[in-house]
Amino acid sequence: DNQVAIAQAGAIPLLVRLLGDEEPGVRGAAAAALGNLAFYHTETNEGNQVAIAEAGAVAPLVLLLLDPAAGVCEAAAGTLRNLAARNVENAAAVVKAGGVASLTRLLRDGGTWAQEEAVGVLRNLVAESPANQAAVASAGAVEALLKLLDSKEGRLREEARATLHFLARDNPEVREAVQRAGGATRPGAPPSAAGSGPGRLGRR
């Protein structure tokens, strides 16, 4: 598999260093390359998720969520989305590095691409962790996700709906927060006790 071969050739530490390059294009390309290496596949490159995190990629990727250069924050969010897919440790590392606040900001202020990647990260963060669910809810993400249910983009609406479902599924306090924010009555919002099943957890 090419992803595994590239990682075994020593590319991961080099790409992590390039996340801090002074050229925005280099930062974005490095983030995108790491995202491709991290794309989840249990039979081939699950180890790449671990190797990328162990190389110190999470913190600089979180910093890039606030990068003003076109395409950089989106690439960083896409990579964090892949790193957190079905990986509890990486999801916890994203939360610990302060990623939730920046992701919530992208939900509110980002363009469609940034919003879609950000909601995908949040979906992976909360899918298997009540602690992460609480962290995301306390950052104000519930209100931002509810607003995305009115998006003209169908894929974005579905991602927001699925993330709200995960947020409310296992955590009573989060479920109450969703209901207080309008989740029990807004069109397209998942019900408090059940909702759409888990979909794709990795980046497209």
Side-chain angles (χ1 to χ4, degrees), residues 11 18 37 51 55 69 85 124 143 186:
L18 291 175
L37 291 176
N124 287 348
E143 293 81 359
R186 287 286 296 276

Side-chain angles (χ1 to χ4, degrees), residues 16 21 26 42 45 60 81 130 162 171 179 194:
V16 172
D21 195 88
V26 174
T42 186
N45 71 325
R81 178 177 186 160
N171 194 315
Q179 292 172 335

